[in-house]
Amino acid sequence: DIQMTQSPSSVSASVGDRVTITCRASQGISSWLAWYQQKPGKAPKLLIYAASSLQSGVPSRFSGSGSGTDFTLTISSLQPEDFATYYCQQANSFPLTFGQGTRLEIK
Amino acid sequence: QVQLQESGPGLVKPSQTLSLTCTVSGGSISSGSYYWSWIRQPAGKGLEWIGRIYTSGSTNYNPSLKSRVTISVDTSKNQFSLKLSSVTAADTAVYYCARADGVAADFDYWGQGTLVTVSS
């Protein structure tokens, strides 16, 4: 299985801050990487697919980059509704696997 | 707008079989090149992909669960289903159904999730 490791596990930030979350794959996955946002009691929401493509309807303050084994999700200017848990997911090979999550909290 | 809705018992006894159904609305489950997956999340923990099915009936399963999992599709009802046998408390989780579009195996539509508790 491909292991996905996110860092940090949690981060505190303020509205307006720029935040970057990292995801590392245990082996190369090309650009087959997606990012999700999950709020308490809700299903995950797709933000980014193919490492850097913005899902329709997702604000442009979200961006993704990377290929191979190292990927980042950046939120350029945090908004109150962005405080949530973020997951990366590799879509390269079976079984599909997710990172352990990064909890983004209000400072 | 595609919508997915999970349904099934919220409580299952140990050693029994967990059965859930996902009903797809807002579009035909057979149209397009979509794969239909089950994903679960224990309370306070991360996401685990269980498996997926294409409308042709072809399936892929997580090897960690493969011996206990069956995913099937009923195109006439616009539904797909999950059966997980010999459940234990470790199978207690919120179960989601989700759609992936074509070659890409990322999930663009999700159900709201349903909590299944394994307890006697």
Side-chain angles (χ1 to χ4, degrees):
Chain A
D1 298 7
I2 297 176
Q3 307 302 316
M4 306 300 293
T5 304
Q6 291 181 230
S7 60
S9 295
S10 65
V11 58
S12 295
S14 301
V15 173
D17 284 354
R18 179 184 181 91
V19 170
T20 297
I21 298 168
T22 297
C23 180
R24 175 164 289 176
S26 61
Q27 63 190 76
I29 59 170
S30 185
S31 294
W32 297 108
L33 191 283
W35 289 98
Y36 300 87
Q37 176 194 69
Q38 187 178 34
K39 296 182 178 180
K42 300 295 187 182
K45 173 187 175 183
L46 179 64
L47 300 175
I48 301 287
Y49 63 95
S52 60
S53 296
L54 192 68
Q55 176 69 357
S56 176
V58 174
S60 59
R61 62 181 180 273
F62 291 93
S63 64
S65 64
S67 67
T69 60
D70 294 313
F71 302 86
T72 59
L73 172 71
T74 299
I75 311 173
S76 60
S77 178
L78 276 173
Q79 298 302 300
E81 61 268 29
D82 298 338
F83 293 94
T85 299
Y86 293 83
Y87 292 94
C88 62
Q89 176 234 326
Q90 65 85 12
N92 181 77
S93 62
F94 297 114
L96 306 177
T97 49
F98 294 83
Q100 82 280 13
T102 295
R103 185 174 178 181
L104 177 53
E105 300 173 317
I106 301 174
K107 184 181 288 184
Chain B
Q1 177 79 350
V2 173
Q3 293 186 317
L4 289 76
Q5 178 68 58
E6 305 88 351
S7 60
L11 181 64
V12 181
K13 288 182 167 53
S15 80
Q16 294 191 342
T17 296
L18 178 161
S19 296
L20 295 174
T21 295
C22 182
T23 300
V24 179
S25 59
S28 170
I29 199 171
S30 300
S31 66
S33 300
Y34 300 120
Y35 290 84
W36 306 92
S37 279
W38 289 97
I39 296 159
R40 70 181 183 179
Q41 184 173 38
K45 297 188 177 181
L47 298 155
E48 179 180 33
W49 177 75
I50 298 169
R52 74 176 192 178
I53 191 165
Y54 190 60
T55 49
S56 65
S58 66
T59 54
N60 302 99
Y61 296 134
N62 191 323
S64 68
L65 298 167
K66 187 175 183 177
S67 64
R68 300 194 290 132
V69 172
T70 301
I71 297 176
S72 59
V73 64
D74 187 336
T75 55
S76 68
K77 294 182 178 179
N78 234 32
Q79 296 176 335
F80 63 106
S81 299
L82 168 70
K83 291 189 185 298
L84 181 65
S85 64
S86 305
V87 297
T88 70
D91 295 309
T92 295
V94 174
Y95 285 75
Y96 295 101
C97 57
R99 187 189 86 167
D101 184 358
V103 175
D106 45 68
F107 306 105
D108 57 356
Y109 286 96
W110 295 67
Q112 65 184 26
T114 188
L115 174 62
V116 178
T117 301
V118 178
S119 175
S120 56

